[in-house]
Amino acid sequence: MKTLSDLLAEGVAGRRVLVRADLNVPLDGDKITDDGRVRASVPTIKALADAGARVIVTAHLGRPKGEPDPKFSLAPAAARLGELLGAEVALAKDLVGPSATSAVGALTDGGVVMLENVRFDARETSKVDAERAELADELAAFADAFVSDGFGVVHRKQASVYDVAQKLPAYVGGLVETELEVLKKLTDDLERPYVVVLGGAKVSDKLGVIANLLGKVDKLLVGGGMAYTFLKAQGHEVGTSLLQSDQLDQVRGFLAEAEKRGVELVLPVDVLVTAEFGDTEHEVVATSAIPADKMGLDIGPESRELFASKLADAKTVFWNGPMGVFEIETYAGGTRAVAEALVSSDAFTVVGGGDSAAAVRALGLPEDGFSHISTGGGASLEFLEGKELPGISVLAENEGDR
């Protein structure tokens, strides 16, 4: 794959460069509550602008239904990006229409413009190749080169990620390049013991990655909502906790496979339970004694100590998914304990994006306390699952000579 460094070496002054960034930030109204992805996009965009490129940023936000929706406008992201760059970032009122055409045409060397949410056009996510290709052609008409720098979307076969890379000389951006280097350290250049911590709501979201990791890890720690399906599979009462009954046989298979392979699969030994979701009144009970009318919303104090002890001697750690409902302070303790164990560790520690990255920032933990915080939870998991990432494979196929 050709890289951003290759493109800069070729010279970009006066050239129009289309950058696919990941600006899918959480909003409270029109206020960004976590600007991590915007900050992560700055180095590549700044490098191009400083070198005199005319930078056109395309990105998505949320899940609009293939048509314009004001609540998913990229306006907050454009404003924040401008603040971080120290220069105005004009936002086109459309994606490939008159406003975008005018905004791109008005670009000068070193200028940056952002196109409106790419998912306002249904062709972006279409399963029909010809429809995606049509949008990609219209995007490519704006530019002379394409830089893929949205790691959070490289696992998607979408027009602005996959198809446009077939239309222009294509390069991997600095952010995506770094993400791939980090993930290769979790697969090709492992230091052991290798410990993976998985949390979050659903086992079904992580079936593939669990199956693949059982052949690679030394320890697998499972918390969050998905832990209750594991506990149920062991025969425990889990009350009204989050449970995926249709995954019980699969999870029993994981438990058996872990034992067969000598993988230490660690589950919570106590949890914080409450009668109703969101209720801060709670009690701590053993996982073998969860009341039938209560739900678990975080791992308990003994589990926090247990998980920390299992991480103490690790040399490589991958963490994806919170240990509880961290958005409510009462149930943030388990997630905080895991994060703090990683910060104090001597291991190579990777936070796998998504809610885990959001939790690190929400809990006020030092981001530089981790070796790497990924910007793409889904992409990270699919890479570790062994899946091909379309947005990466297309860059390998297109070496920038179109």
Side-chain angles (χ1 to χ4, degrees):
M1 290 182 290
K2 285 200 171 184
T3 67
L4 175 65
S5 297
D6 294 323
L7 177 57
L8 293 171
E10 293 168 14
V12 293
R15 295 176 68 187
R16 300 167 304 161
V17 181
L18 179 68
V19 178
R20 187 17 165 134
D22 180 7
L23 305 176
N24 188 25
V25 291
L27 296 176
D28 181 4
D30 60 359
K31 181 182 179 183
I32 296 174
T33 57
D34 180 0
D35 69 352
R37 283 176 168 165
V38 184
R39 287 188 284 115
S41 74
V42 168
T44 290
I45 294 169
K46 188 176 189 304
L48 288 165
D50 287 351
R54 302 180 181 193
V55 184
I56 305 151
V57 179
T58 186
H60 79 280
L61 193 154
R63 295 187 177 181
K65 301 188 183 301
E67 58 186 29
D69 185 337
K71 72 180 179 182
F72 294 118
S73 172
L74 282 170
R80 182 60 180 141
L81 179 60
E83 290 173 358
L84 293 167
L85 290 173
E88 181 185 1
V89 175
L91 176 68
K93 294 178 181 178
D94 52 31
L95 177 64
V96 289
S99 178
T101 301
S102 175
V104 171
L107 269 174
T108 56
D109 293 2
V112 181
V113 68
M114 188 180 296
L115 307 179
E116 189 50 285
N117 195 329
V118 70
R119 290 189 183 173
F120 284 179
D121 191 314
R123 295 174 295 175
E124 164 71 355
T125 57
S126 175
K127 302 299 183 187
V128 180
D129 291 352
E131 291 180 358
R132 292 196 319 274
E134 183 180 61
L135 176 56
D137 281 333
E138 293 176 38
L139 289 169
F142 286 146
D144 306 304
F146 172 67
V147 174
S148 178
D149 207 42
F151 182 70
V153 290
V154 294
H155 59 312
R156 305 296 188 194
K157 193 173 185 180
Q158 297 177 346
S160 68
V161 179
Y162 178 84
D163 300 87
V164 76
Q166 298 176 311
K167 311 290 183 180
L168 291 167
Y171 304 80
V172 61
L175 170 63
V176 172
E177 186 178 12
T178 297
E179 294 272 13
L180 292 174
E181 288 172 356
V182 166
L183 288 174
K184 285 176 182 175
K185 288 186 179 180
L186 299 179
T187 53
D188 300 338
D189 306 314
L190 270 178
E191 276 196 75
R192 295 186 180 277
Y194 177 26
V195 183
V196 169
V197 186
L198 295 179
K202 297 179 179 178
V203 175
S204 56
D205 291 342
K206 299 181 172 75
L207 289 176
V209 74
I210 294 172
N212 199 39
L213 286 173
L214 284 176
K216 297 178 170 64
V217 302
D218 298 298
K219 300 174 189 176
L220 177 62
L221 282 50
V222 179
M226 62 185 290
Y228 300 100
T229 302
F230 278 82
L231 292 168
K232 185 71 172 180
Q234 288 185 328
H236 295 300
E237 169 67 58
V238 297
T240 58
S241 306
L242 190 62
L243 173 67
Q244 287 188 280
S245 299
D246 60 335
Q247 303 298 331
L248 286 170
D249 286 343
Q250 179 78 65
V251 168
R252 290 186 187 103
F254 288 152
L255 292 167
E257 185 68 13
E259 185 175 3
K260 175 183 173 183
R261 290 180 175 271
V263 173
E264 190 176 357
L265 200 158
V266 183
L267 296 172
V269 293
D270 63 343
V271 291
L272 274 60
V273 298
T274 187
E276 190 172 333
F277 185 86
D279 188 350
T280 56
E281 291 187 15
H282 65 279
E283 61 179 314
V284 178
V285 300
T287 50
S288 59
I290 298 174
D293 61 347
K294 293 192 176 181
M295 64 179 70
L297 294 183
D298 193 16
I299 62 173
E302 287 187 30
S303 299
R304 297 168 196 176
E305 291 184 12
L306 174 64
F307 280 28
S309 72
K310 299 299 181 182
L311 291 164
D313 65 344
K315 293 298 182 185
T316 304
V317 181
F318 175 75
W319 169 37
N320 182 280
M323 299 294 100
V325 186
F326 74 91
E327 297 90 346
I328 302 172
E329 178 59 31
T330 303
Y331 305 113
T335 302
R336 183 186 295 278
V338 166
E340 289 177 343
L342 267 59
V343 169
S344 62
S345 168
D346 293 327
F348 179 75
T349 54
V350 178
V351 180
D355 285 342
S356 309
V360 166
R361 289 186 277 267
L363 296 174
L365 295 164
E367 293 186 43
D368 60 4
F370 305 89
S371 304
H372 180 71
I373 298 178
S374 178
T375 56
S380 297
L381 288 175
E382 291 202 12
F383 185 96
L384 294 178
E385 193 176 331
K387 285 185 175 180
E388 181 180 87
L389 306 180
I392 300 301
S393 60
V394 72
L395 297 174
E397 294 163 7
N398 180 357
E399 292 291 345
D401 57 0
R402 282 182 174 80

